[in-house]
PDB file of all heavy atoms in Angstrom:
ATOM      1  N   MET B 165      12.538 -50.208  64.323  1.00 96.00           N
ATOM      2  CA  MET B 165      11.278 -49.533  63.996  1.00 96.00           C
ATOM      3  C   MET B 165      10.530 -49.083  65.254  1.00 96.00           C
ATOM      4  O   MET B 165       9.935 -48.019  65.291  1.00 96.00           O
ATOM      5  CB  MET B 165      10.364 -50.471  63.200  1.00 96.00           C
ATOM      6  CG  MET B 165      10.758 -50.674  61.755  1.00 96.00           C
ATOM      7  SD  MET B 165      10.648 -49.165  60.758  1.00 96.00           S
ATOM      8  CE  MET B 165       8.869 -48.914  60.658  1.00 96.00           C
ATOM      9  N   LEU B 166      10.539 -49.947  66.266  1.00 96.00           N
ATOM     10  CA  LEU B 166       9.715 -49.672  67.448  1.00 96.00           C
ATOM     11  C   LEU B 166      10.449 -48.828  68.498  1.00 96.00           C
ATOM     12  O   LEU B 166       9.841 -48.344  69.448  1.00 96.00           O
ATOM     13  CB  LEU B 166       9.207 -50.980  68.065  1.00 96.00           C
ATOM     14  CG  LEU B 166       8.334 -51.843  67.130  1.00 96.00           C
ATOM     15  CD1 LEU B 166       7.904 -53.133  67.807  1.00 96.00           C
ATOM     16  CD2 LEU B 166       7.094 -51.088  66.656  1.00 96.00           C
ATOM     17  N   GLU B 167      11.753 -48.645  68.331  1.00 96.00           N
ATOM     18  CA  GLU B 167      12.568 -47.782  69.190  1.00 96.00           C
ATOM     19  C   GLU B 167      12.289 -47.967  70.689  1.00 96.00           C
ATOM     20  O   GLU B 167      11.820 -47.033  71.363  1.00 96.00           O
ATOM     21  CB  GLU B 167      12.373 -46.312  68.789  1.00 96.00           C
ATOM     22  CG  GLU B 167      12.790 -46.062  67.349  1.00 96.00           C
ATOM     23  CD  GLU B 167      12.628 -44.610  66.903  1.00 96.00           C
ATOM     24  OE1 GLU B 167      11.795 -43.886  67.495  1.00 96.00           O
ATOM     25  OE2 GLU B 167      13.347 -44.207  65.984  1.00 96.00           O
ATOM     26  N   PRO B 168      12.576 -49.162  71.206  1.00 97.00           N
ATOM     27  CA  PRO B 168      12.315 -49.401  72.635  1.00 97.00           C
ATOM     28  C   PRO B 168      13.355 -48.698  73.514  1.00 97.00           C
ATOM     29  O   PRO B 168      14.381 -48.230  73.027  1.00 97.00           O
ATOM     30  CB  PRO B 168      12.462 -50.911  72.757  1.00 97.00           C
ATOM     31  CG  PRO B 168      13.471 -51.259  71.708  1.00 97.00           C
ATOM     32  CD  PRO B 168      13.215 -50.318  70.558  1.00 97.00           C
ATOM     33  N   LYS B 169      13.067 -48.687  74.824  1.00 97.00           N
ATOM     34  CA  LYS B 169      14.053 -48.167  75.771  1.00 97.00           C
ATOM     35  C   LYS B 169      15.035 -49.256  76.155  1.00 97.00           C
ATOM     36  O   LYS B 169      16.195 -49.000  76.459  1.00 97.00           O
ATOM     37  CB  LYS B 169      13.355 -47.682  77.053  1.00 97.00           C
ATOM     38  CG  LYS B 169      12.503 -46.456  76.851  1.00 97.00           C
ATOM     39  CD  LYS B 169      11.836 -46.085  78.177  1.00 97.00           C
ATOM     40  CE  LYS B 169      10.750 -45.050  77.979  1.00 97.00           C
ATOM     41  NZ  LYS B 169       9.781 -45.083  79.081  1.00 97.00           N
ATOM     42  N   LEU B 170      14.486 -50.498  76.192  1.00 98.00           N
ATOM     43  CA  LEU B 170      15.316 -51.640  76.563  1.00 98.00           C
ATOM     44  C   LEU B 170      15.135 -52.760  75.538  1.00 98.00           C
ATOM     45  O   LEU B 170      14.020 -53.237  75.337  1.00 98.00           O
ATOM     46  CB  LEU B 170      14.901 -52.153  77.958  1.00 98.00           C
ATOM     47  CG  LEU B 170      15.529 -53.482  78.414  1.00 98.00           C
ATOM     48  CD1 LEU B 170      17.027 -53.348  78.639  1.00 98.00           C
ATOM     49  CD2 LEU B 170      14.844 -53.984  79.681  1.00 98.00           C
ATOM     50  N   GLY B 171      16.241 -53.134  74.899  1.00 97.00           N
ATOM     51  CA  GLY B 171      16.187 -54.244  73.957  1.00 97.00           C
ATOM     52  C   GLY B 171      16.760 -55.493  74.610  1.00 97.00           C
ATOM     53  O   GLY B 171      17.826 -55.440  75.215  1.00 97.00           O
ATOM     54  N   ILE B 172      16.004 -56.598  74.515  1.00 97.00           N
ATOM     55  CA  ILE B 172      16.504 -57.860  75.070  1.00 97.00           C
ATOM     56  C   ILE B 172      16.764 -58.799  73.899  1.00 97.00           C
ATOM     57  O   ILE B 172      15.853 -59.104  73.126  1.00 97.00           O
ATOM     58  CB  ILE B 172      15.458 -58.488  76.029  1.00 97.00           C
ATOM     59  CG1 ILE B 172      15.112 -57.506  77.151  1.00 97.00           C
ATOM     60  CG2 ILE B 172      15.971 -59.806  76.596  1.00 97.00           C
ATOM     61  CD1 ILE B 172      13.874 -57.891  77.951  1.00 97.00           C
ATOM     62  N   LEU B 173      18.003 -59.224  73.746  1.00 96.00           N
ATOM     63  CA  LEU B 173      18.352 -60.120  72.641  1.00 96.00           C
ATOM     64  C   LEU B 173      18.515 -61.528  73.194  1.00 96.00           C
ATOM     65  O   LEU B 173      19.428 -61.770  73.978  1.00 96.00           O
ATOM     66  CB  LEU B 173      19.666 -59.683  71.975  1.00 96.00           C
ATOM     67  CG  LEU B 173      19.766 -58.224  71.527  1.00 96.00           C
ATOM     68  CD1 LEU B 173      21.158 -57.941  70.961  1.00 96.00           C
ATOM     69  CD2 LEU B 173      18.716 -57.907  70.478  1.00 96.00           C
ATOM     70  N   ASP B 174      17.591 -62.409  72.800  1.00 96.00           N
ATOM     71  CA  ASP B 174      17.646 -63.777  73.320  1.00 96.00           C
ATOM     72  C   ASP B 174      18.377 -64.686  72.334  1.00 96.00           C
ATOM     73  O   ASP B 174      17.799 -65.098  71.336  1.00 96.00           O
ATOM     74  CB  ASP B 174      16.212 -64.280  73.577  1.00 96.00           C
ATOM     75  CG  ASP B 174      16.209 -65.651  74.254  1.00 96.00           C
ATOM     76  OD1 ASP B 174      17.292 -66.130  74.654  1.00 96.00           O
ATOM     77  OD2 ASP B 174      15.126 -66.248  74.351  1.00 96.00           O
ATOM     78  N   GLU B 175      19.621 -64.979  72.612  1.00 93.00           N
ATOM     79  CA  GLU B 175      20.453 -65.835  71.760  1.00 93.00           C
ATOM     80  C   GLU B 175      20.324 -65.454  70.283  1.00 93.00           C
ATOM     81  O   GLU B 175      20.124 -66.312  69.421  1.00 93.00           O
ATOM     82  CB  GLU B 175      20.085 -67.312  71.961  1.00 93.00           C
ATOM     83  CG  GLU B 175      20.083 -67.685  73.435  1.00 93.00           C
ATOM     84  CD  GLU B 175      20.868 -68.946  73.767  1.00 93.00           C
ATOM     85  OE1 GLU B 175      21.531 -69.494  72.860  1.00 93.00           O
ATOM     86  OE2 GLU B 175      20.829 -69.358  74.931  1.00 93.00           O
ATOM     87  N   THR B 176      20.409 -64.163  70.039  1.00 92.00           N
ATOM     88  CA  THR B 176      20.278 -63.677  68.668  1.00 92.00           C
ATOM     89  C   THR B 176      21.379 -64.233  67.773  1.00 92.00           C
ATOM     90  O   THR B 176      21.217 -64.346  66.567  1.00 92.00           O
ATOM     91  CB  THR B 176      20.283 -62.132  68.682  1.00 92.00           C
ATOM     92  OG1 THR B 176      19.158 -61.712  69.438  1.00 92.00           O
ATOM     93  CG2 THR B 176      20.177 -61.532  67.299  1.00 92.00           C
TER      94      THR B 176
END
Side-chain angles (χ1 to χ4, degrees):
Chain B
M165 285 295 290
L166 300 179
E167 300 181 336
K169 292 179 192 157
L170 171 67
I172 303 167
L173 308 177
D174 186 8
E175 309 229 6
T176 298

